[in-house]
Amino acid sequence: MKKSSTNLRWIYLKEALTTTLVGWIPLKPGRVLRRVLYRNILGGLGKSVQIEPGVEFVNADRVEIGKGVKIDRYVRLRNVGRDSKIRIGDWVRLNRAADIKLHSGGSGYIEIGDYTSIGPYTCMTGRDIKIGKYCLIAPHVGIFANNHVFTDPTVPIVQQGHTYKGIIIEDDCWLGSGVKVLDGVTIGQGSVIGAGAVVTKDIPPYSIAVGIPAKVVGKRDAAPNKSHNKSIKAEAGELESIDIESQRNYLEKLV
């Protein structure tokens, strides 16, 4: 027990020292230093990752970042629980001040799939969140995979704890600006959620949903044809074969 406690203190100290020393350095020198030194504190760091100044980590050794990821200024990746993990897939973009928090108290997991873009000032919090590949998450979106217990009116809500069900956003979804997704929801593959909508129930694949609460008002291709699937696979294969600068140019178009 004592040895485990000592190891944890060393992990926290190393994380604090590393981020304090190089976390603020601007421009290319800072990006290069972070790419080298953050390998010592993160649970995994792929090639060609770009981490801008002011990015905050909590329990960085429980955070895995894939290749080609770009993390903009003031993003926060907070893994409060030691038994939990945050995984960022390849070629993901986390835009300015996106806030991702994985709650403690269980073996939680937050995953963001390859080629997905998370918009500025988006908040993602809870214990189980899975976002698929090729998703577009616009600015100021809220993804809340938890809820407060409030059944006892004689006890302050803050003292009654939380419930956790989890949120799944499948591949190739587009969530417009200001969308809110509540706990227990699955948004099916290829769906579009209109700006400002509040998603309280599951959305079937290839749906167009708007409003408060969100209601399905239309459908995209109900059953996407083979050529559509082939085009996605071909695009993924093409992206893997081109150079890093072209990859970044592709991600710039997602915002």
Side-chain angles (χ1 to χ4, degrees), residues 210-228:
V210 299
I212 303 174
K215 295 182 179 179
V216 175
V217 296
K219 296 287 287 184
R220 298 177 66 210
D221 291 336
N225 56 38
K226 293 181 180 180
S227 62
H228 175 75

Side-chain angles (χ1 to χ4, degrees), residues 98-174:
D99 192 339
I100 299 172
K101 180 182 178 182
L102 180 50
H103 289 204
S104 62
S107 54
Y109 194 73
I110 291 179
E111 179 179 3
I112 300 175
D114 301 346
Y115 301 101
T116 284
S117 176
I118 306 295
Y121 304 100
T122 285
C123 177
M124 191 183 308
T125 181
R127 195 173 286 166
D128 290 289
I129 300 172
K130 183 175 181 180
I131 299 178
K133 300 178 181 180
Y134 295 99
C135 288
L136 298 172
I137 310 297
H140 299 283
V141 168
I143 299 171
F144 305 115
N146 65 286
N147 208 346
H148 288 282
V149 177
F150 54 91
T151 52
D152 189 345
T154 66
V155 177
I157 294 172
V158 71
Q159 296 178 6
Q160 296 190 49
H162 297 79
T163 60
Y164 298 94
K165 297 179 182 177
I167 290 173
I168 298 173
I169 300 172
E170 296 181 347
D171 295 349
D172 190 30
C173 289
W174 174 24

Side-chain angles (χ1 to χ4, degrees), residues 18-35 38 49-57 69-77 93-98 121:
T18 304
T19 55
T20 300
L21 286 171
V22 303
W24 60 274
I25 301 175
L27 304 175
K28 188 173 181 179
R31 290 193 288 269
V32 171
L33 283 171
R34 286 185 286 275
R35 193 177 300 149
Y38 279 16
V49 172
Q50 182 174 320
I51 301 176
E52 296 296 333
V55 174
E56 178 185 342
F57 295 96
V69 173
K70 182 175 180 180
I71 305 179
D72 213 342
R73 287 174 177 261
Y74 312 123
V75 167
R76 297 199 294 180
L77 291 165
R93 178 159 186 180
L94 303 179
N95 288 282
R96 186 183 182 91
Y121 304 100

Side-chain angles (χ1 to χ4, degrees), residues 36-49:
V36 173
L37 296 180
Y38 279 16
R39 294 185 185 280
N40 297 318
I41 63 171
L42 288 164
L45 184 65
K47 296 180 180 179
S48 306
V49 172

